[in-house]
Amino acid sequence: AQRPPCPADLIPQFDLVRGAARAFGIPCMEVRGYEADDVIATLTTLAMEEGIDVDIASGDKDLMQLVTVGSSGCGGASVVNLVDPVKLTRVDYDAVVEKWGVGPEQLGDVLALAGDASDNIPGVPGIGPKIAAGLMREYGSLEKLLEEAEGIKQKGRREKICANKDQARLSRRLVELERNIPLEALHLQYKDEDYDGNNYGDDSLTSSIIGNIRMEALEEERLLDFFQEMEFRDITRRTRSRFQIRRRAIAEQRRRDEKNMLKKQRELNTFGAMIPQQEEEEEEEENGGAGAAGGLREHVQWVLRDDFVPRLNSSVPDCAKGTVVIDAKDLRHWWEANNKLS
């Protein structure tokens, strides 16, 4: 788009942005020769191929071209939405239509016609977003509009569009997002090195690129070190307080879990002792020494050893296979139903 060189005072800030990402455990991707919008568009395309829903944290109108129909988490095709990082509002398909008068699939044509001086998109002089949207609803696409421009009824619009066809086509190329950056160019920066030391052109990663990307767990020391280096005193204080509250909450939850576990252990031990010894011996005789009651006792001990795993699997005795156990009460109901224990 014939942009001027990067401002000299902006260049040193790139390292600060990388440092902030590392502090929060966020992997970064930089691709030489491509704009950030193109990288985002490519990653979004790859995510959709993997069946992953995408939320793009941006209010950039160009990225609204990526938005798709549907609701996240509802199954079916992948869904792409924008999330405004300032207003924290979701921009879905209907929101794009409400704002621009057309869907995301026609937004590039509207932006090309209307132009954008801040992005050096010339557009067609005298054609604004509302008129451009109306023309797209009428003609369907920019190319069809240009082909049939001589038939536009309004004289002023007809003359402007006919006189600027090449400029309109150039503008359309400028607003188009590159959605297929070569895989070998995609290097994910993780901490101070590439993610796992690989680039995403490797054959082992081409089938699940997005699925392999993970944000690191938040580390208190790493984050606070960055805030202190930046001399963010108030944020440092508030963050340290948040981590202290989180530690207390985790400790309290651990105490509750341990208390509940001890209670369940007592219940299971009590129930295990209730199994009549006589019935166990009779069952053993009938089953050639493989008593069902004995199996239940083994089952109780197995649950205790495995910390109350709720779903039983093939490692438990035959008498308990396929059973779902939540607590001692459910276990007893199961036993009574299958063995008529009174």
Side-chain angles (χ1 to χ4, degrees), residues 41-54 76-80 179-181 183 186 205-211:
T42 297
L43 293 177
T44 298
T45 301
L46 293 170
M48 295 178 68
E49 291 174 357
E50 293 182 33
I52 300 173
D53 292 340
V54 180
S78 299
V79 177
V80 180
R179 307 184 189 209
N180 294 289
I181 295 175
L183 292 172
L186 301 179
L205 293 171
T206 54
S207 61
S208 60
I209 295 170
I210 303 302

Side-chain angles (χ1 to χ4, degrees), residues 38 65 108-109 170-179:
D38 297 328
Q65 298 177 72
D109 291 341
L170 170 63
S171 298
R172 187 63 183 88
R173 290 196 296 272
L174 292 175
V175 301
E176 181 66 25
L177 297 172
E178 174 56 68
R179 307 184 189 209

Side-chain angles (χ1 to χ4, degrees), residues 88-156:
L88 297 180
T89 54
R90 187 176 297 278
V91 181
D92 58 12
Y93 188 94
D94 291 339
V96 174
V97 174
E98 182 179 353
K99 180 176 178 62
W100 293 98
V102 296
E105 64 278 358
Q106 291 182 304
L107 181 56
D109 291 341
V110 169
L111 296 176
L113 274 175
D116 188 343
S118 64
D119 273 343
N120 290 319
I121 308 297
V124 175
I127 302 294
K130 289 186 178 179
I131 293 176
L135 290 169
M136 287 305 98
R137 289 194 297 270
E138 180 178 354
Y139 288 90
S141 71
L142 175 61
E143 194 55 41
K144 186 176 181 181
L145 169 66
L146 298 179
E147 290 173 357
E148 301 180 8
E150 299 293 345
I152 297 175
K153 295 179 181 179
Q154 296 87 348
K155 180 181 178 182

Side-chain angles (χ1 to χ4, degrees), residues 12-260:
Q13 298 181 45
F14 293 147
D15 282 338
L16 298 179
V17 173
R18 296 184 186 103
R22 286 194 293 270
F24 281 94
I26 301 173
C28 300
M29 182 172 286
E30 301 178 31
V31 183
R32 189 177 300 277
Y34 291 90
E35 295 187 8
D37 288 356
D38 297 328
V39 178
I40 293 171
T42 297
L43 293 177
T44 298
T45 301
L46 293 170
M48 295 178 68
E49 291 174 357
E50 293 182 33
I52 300 173
D53 292 340
V54 180
D55 285 325
I56 303 172
S58 175
D60 191 329
K61 62 182 182 299
D62 293 336
L63 290 174
M64 292 182 185
Q65 298 177 72
L66 299 172
V67 173
T68 62
V69 179
S71 300
S72 298
C74 294
S78 299
V79 177
V80 180
N81 291 324
L82 261 63
V83 177
D84 190 306
V86 177
K87 300 178 181 178
L88 297 180
T89 54
R90 187 176 297 278
V91 181
D92 58 12
Y93 188 94
D94 291 339
V96 174
V97 174
E98 182 179 353
K99 180 176 178 62
W100 293 98
V102 296
E105 64 278 358
Q106 291 182 304
L107 181 56
D109 291 341
V110 169
L111 296 176
L113 274 175
D116 188 343
S118 64
D119 273 343
N120 290 319
I121 308 297
V124 175
I127 302 294
K130 289 186 178 179
I131 293 176
L135 290 169
M136 287 305 98
R137 289 194 297 270
E138 180 178 354
Y139 288 90
S141 71
L142 175 61
E143 194 55 41
K144 186 176 181 181
L145 169 66
L146 298 179
E147 290 173 357
E148 301 180 8
E150 299 293 345
I152 297 175
K153 295 179 181 179
Q154 296 87 348
K155 180 181 178 182
R157 295 181 190 176
R158 181 173 66 249
E159 292 177 348
K160 291 172 183 175
I161 292 174
C162 287
N164 293 279
K165 287 184 178 182
D166 290 342
Q167 190 162 288
R169 290 190 173 98
L170 170 63
S171 298
R172 187 63 183 88
R173 290 196 296 272
L174 292 175
V175 301
E176 181 66 25
L177 297 172
E178 174 56 68
R179 307 184 189 209
N180 294 289
I181 295 175
L183 292 172
E184 58 270 18
L186 301 179
H187 295 265
L188 189 65
Q189 298 293 322
Y190 208 72
K191 293 185 177 179
D192 295 319
E193 300 177 353
D194 287 349
Y195 181 74
D196 285 342
N198 297 313
N199 72 68
Y200 281 123
D202 292 345
D203 293 338
S204 59
L205 293 171
T206 54
S207 61
S208 60
I209 295 170
I210 303 302
N212 285 329
I213 298 176
R214 290 291 185 274
M215 180 176 175
E216 281 191 329
L218 204 59
E219 292 184 10
E220 179 178 2
E221 183 177 352
R222 181 179 63 196
L223 188 58
L224 291 175
D225 285 347
F226 175 75
F227 287 161
Q228 290 171 343
E229 181 183 353
M230 296 295 102
E231 299 183 358
F232 296 157
R233 295 181 180 85
D234 186 55
I235 294 179
T236 300
R237 177 184 57 79
R238 285 187 284 138
T239 302
R240 184 176 286 113
S241 176
R242 289 280 186 92
F243 273 112
Q244 290 172 350
I245 294 172
R246 180 171 177 268
R247 283 195 296 272
R248 287 196 295 268
I250 292 173
E252 179 59 30
Q253 183 62 48
R254 185 178 293 112
R255 283 193 293 270
R256 287 196 295 267
D257 291 343
E258 291 174 353
K259 183 178 179 181
N260 290 335

